[in-house]
């Protein structure tokens, strides 16, 4: 179970990407061979894409693999690097707390007003909940990474 939790985001992303590829292939194949347009597949793929993006953002924090300009920050050492690490983590946490607040508010409104998608008529909150969930997972993964690497190891040293 621990291995599943450690790779939770990657497992869900991999599954969703495989399903997205299969659904898209079936849709394209059906349009070219039988001239049947399965328009609902576009809605499914778009929904899954939102989830994949949100989960991948959280997964990137596990290894500190978000894109960034690290030329200067890799040169930091000692207490300055430690300060930078914690200030960075706090600022990112504040950002994701804003995502969490407004994302939860958005999901509540979507559920409260029974908003549905255009084709499949599934509840829109099922798509929107990816944002606050991503915020929670990102904050968790960020602080786990920060705690594990509190001795100021660089990304190159971890590999």
């Amino acid at each position: 179970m621990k291995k599943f939790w450690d790779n939770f985001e990657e497992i869900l992303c991999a599954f969703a990407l495989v399903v997205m590829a299969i659904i898209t292939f079936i849709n394209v194949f059906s349009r070219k061979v039988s001239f049947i347009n399965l328009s609902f597949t576009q809605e499914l793929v778009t929904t899954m894409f939102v989830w994949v993006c949100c989960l991948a953002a959280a997964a990137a924090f596990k290894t500190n693999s978000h894109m960034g300009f690290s030329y200067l920050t890799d040169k930091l050492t000692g207490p300055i690097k430690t300060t930078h690490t914690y200030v960075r983590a706090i600022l990112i946490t504040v950002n994701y707390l804003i995502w969490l607040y407004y994302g939860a508010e958005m999901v509540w409104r979507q559920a409260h007003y029974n908003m549905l998608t255009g084709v499949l008529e599934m509840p829109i909150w099922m798509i929107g909940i990816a944002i606050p969930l991503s915020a929670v997972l990102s904050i968790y993964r960020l602080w786990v990474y920060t705690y594990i690497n509190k001795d100021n190891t660089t990304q190159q040293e971890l590999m």
Side-chain angles (χ1 to χ4, degrees):
M1 190 64 176
K2 181 180 178 352
K3 191 170 185 173
F4 174 78
W5 175 248
D6 287 344
N7 299 307
F8 176 72
E9 295 91 345
E10 290 94 340
I11 292 169
L12 288 179
C13 285
F15 176 75
L17 287 171
V18 168
V19 171
M20 287 168 60
I22 291 169
I23 289 172
T24 302
F25 173 78
I26 290 170
N27 186 25
V28 170
F29 185 77
S30 71
R31 268 190 284 146
K32 298 299 180 191
V33 173
S34 65
F35 303 103
I36 298 172
N37 186 6
L38 305 173
S39 60
F40 71 91
T41 59
Q42 184 177 358
E43 193 170 285
L44 281 175
V45 170
T46 304
T47 298
M48 293 178 86
F49 183 73
V50 171
W51 275 93
V52 167
C53 289
C54 288
L55 291 172
F61 280 111
K62 289 190 328 189
T63 57
N64 197 29
S65 55
H66 277 277
M67 286 178 37
F69 184 71
S70 63
Y71 179 75
L72 296 174
T73 58
D74 285 348
K75 295 190 181 303
L76 298 176
T77 58
I80 295 172
K81 184 168 185 162
T82 303
T83 303
H84 169 268
T85 299
Y86 285 107
V87 167
R88 173 185 171 265
I90 290 167
L91 290 174
I92 292 170
T93 301
V94 168
N95 175 54
Y96 276 111
L97 287 172
I98 293 168
W99 280 40
L100 180 62
Y101 175 78
Y102 286 108
E105 183 179 323
M106 176 190 72
V107 169
W108 181 85
R109 287 178 191 220
Q110 290 170 340
H112 179 74
Y113 293 113
N114 280 333
M115 296 175 74
L116 303 174
T117 60
V119 177
L120 292 174
E121 295 186 357
M122 66 179 185
I124 291 182
W125 66 263
M126 292 175 71
I127 303 167
I129 199 148
I131 293 171
L133 180 64
S134 169
V136 170
L137 290 172
S138 293
I139 291 169
Y140 173 75
R141 296 297 186 188
L142 168 70
W143 283 100
V144 167
Y145 176 84
T146 302
Y147 177 76
I148 288 172
N149 296 299
K150 64 180 177 249
D151 58 353
N152 294 326
T153 56
T154 63
Q155 184 67 22
Q156 291 78 20
E157 293 169 0
L158 292 172
M159 293 181 166

